[in-house]
């Protein structure tokens, strides 16, 4: 990524859903995780009632108690 990058394209896929449900989004590189959460809610037409887990170079998710979690160091659950 160059220093002049202002946006990134992300692909979000729902796990264990057939046929594949996916969204491609272009978001600002400075978008914080809590705003990405809101962006994904809107993109999928959700009403903040779905648990989510972000996986990539880092992994993050929301527990049933609505607190942000960091999974174990060994990776995705």
């Amino acid at each position: 990524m160059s220093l002049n990058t202002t946006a990134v394209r992300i692909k979000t896929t729902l796990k264990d859903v057939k046929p594949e449900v996916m969204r491609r989004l272009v978001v600002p590189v400075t978008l914080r995780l809590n705003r990405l959460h809101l962006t994904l809610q809107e993109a999928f037409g959700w009403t903040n009632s779905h648990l989510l887990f972000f996986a990539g170079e880092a992994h993050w998710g929301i527990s049933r108690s609505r607190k942000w979690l960091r999974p174990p160091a060994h990776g995705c659950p």
Side-chain angles (χ1 to χ4, degrees), residues 26-62:
V26 177
V27 298
V29 73
T30 57
L31 191 68
R32 292 178 179 249
L33 195 56
N34 63 335
R35 293 295 182 185
L36 178 59
H37 166 74
L38 295 174
T39 302
L40 291 172
Q41 293 285 326
E42 186 68 28
F44 281 98
W46 295 339
T47 57
N48 206 25
S49 58
H50 292 77
L51 301 177
L52 27 117
F53 185 81
F54 297 100
E57 289 185 28
H59 308 288
W60 294 88
I62 298 178

Side-chain angles (χ1 to χ4, degrees), residues 5 7-8 14 16-17 19 26 32 37-38 45 58 68:
T5 301
V8 292
L14 301 183
D16 300 328
V17 175
V26 177
R32 292 178 179 249
H37 166 74
L38 295 174
W68 286 96

